[in-house]
Amino acid sequence: MYWFIPSGHAQYWGRLHKGIHALGAHGAEVTYLGVPPADWMEGPRLHWRIPASPDRGLTTDPHLLRLAMARAVAAEEAVDR
């Protein structure tokens, strides 16, 4: 899964989990991401889970996303213990 956040916000997040990687957060790293057509709404191919609409853009609040990911990692680590 991918979430779009404003440029520069993930740069200082640090490492959350071995399976989470913030594309473009490491200096001069160049990242290319394939973007499916707007009408691709079902898998198994690359598709939109939540489509863009005139009243909702594609970006996610970076602070809320960071908090949600940290909680998910903590919950997973608690189960693994």
Side-chain angles (χ1 to χ4, degrees):
M1 286 190 232
Y2 295 92
W3 288 268
F4 295 107
I5 61 173
S7 179
H9 281 269
Q11 184 175 356
Y12 303 105
W13 284 4
R15 190 165 181 84
L16 288 168
H17 187 271
K18 62 184 175 184
I20 298 173
H21 178 70
L23 301 175
H26 306 289
E29 176 184 45
V30 174
T31 303
Y32 296 94
L33 178 65
V35 177
D39 61 340
W40 286 16
M41 300 301 300
E42 296 181 14
R45 64 184 179 204
L46 185 64
H47 65 279
W48 293 103
R49 180 81 170 121
I50 300 173
S53 67
D55 60 332
R56 182 182 58 242
L58 295 176
T59 60
T60 300
D61 181 303
H63 305 292
L64 293 177
L65 178 60
R66 172 67 172 87
L67 178 62
M69 289 191 306
R71 287 181 178 173
V73 167
E76 181 179 324
E77 290 173 351
V79 169
D80 289 343
R81 287 185 216 152

